[in-house]
Amino acid sequence: MVRKDYEASLGLAWTGYRGGHGPLDWALFHHDSAGAKVKKQDRYDSLFQFYAGVYGVEWKLMKAQAIQESSLDPDAINPHSHAKGLAQFMARTWDEWKDGSAGIQTAPPVEQNLFDPRDPEDAIKAHASYMAWLLL
């Protein structure tokens, strides 16, 4: 099942990107089936649920961790450790997990290296895969 089908099964309607950021702020446009906006604290739930299901981890645990680390702010940067994004990835950990698989992969050409710890979908996918590996 692809993410949009999964979201449709939850009664969510994705209405598009904001600005030129690609998926960076996609979750701000989620509405439930009645057309009401999803609460700010729940705006990434469909991503947490989808990727938790893909990697076999508990989505509420992932969400709780993201709330604790970044207050669900995809642009959060820790001033001391320089960790970034929803899941507060450190640079070396991000390099290893940004594509959802363990290990630093051979770098694709610069134009294809689009993973960003501030992108909610990239961060949650990496978060789920890393958490699954940690919980093995």
Side-chain angles (χ1 to χ4, degrees):
M1 177 183 294
V2 295
R3 190 188 81 237
K4 286 184 183 178
D5 294 336
Y6 178 76
E7 291 171 355
S9 74
L10 296 174
L12 298 173
W14 181 80
T15 58
Y17 297 122
R18 180 176 85 169
H21 298 293
L24 184 61
D25 290 324
W26 75 271
L28 297 177
F29 290 89
H30 264 91
H31 296 80
D32 66 16
S33 57
K37 287 186 179 181
V38 174
K39 294 177 186 175
K40 184 176 179 180
Q41 70 269 21
D42 298 332
R43 65 184 179 222
Y44 302 118
D45 283 3
S46 64
L47 284 173
F48 284 119
Q49 292 169 4
F50 179 76
Y51 286 111
V54 168
Y55 291 98
V57 295
E58 176 57 49
W59 77 271
K60 289 182 179 181
L61 177 62
M62 290 177 53
K63 181 179 177 180
Q65 184 177 7
I67 289 170
Q68 184 65 35
E69 292 185 356
S70 69
S71 300
L72 294 177
D73 178 2
D75 294 318
I77 298 175
N78 185 300
H80 304 290
S81 67
H82 306 289
K84 296 177 184 169
L86 286 173
Q88 291 292 283
F89 277 99
M90 299 291 289
R92 304 257 319 176
T93 308
W94 180 254
D95 286 342
E96 184 172 351
W97 291 94
K98 65 186 173 187
D99 64 352
S101 61
I104 296 175
Q105 313 301 320
T106 304
V110 173
E111 64 272 5
Q112 293 178 12
N113 193 10
L114 303 175
F115 299 110
D116 185 346
R118 296 169 299 150
D119 179 323
E121 184 163 6
D122 288 349
I124 291 170
K125 179 180 180 182
H127 184 188
S129 63
Y130 185 48
M131 185 174 279
W133 180 79
L134 289 171
L135 296 173
L136 283 177

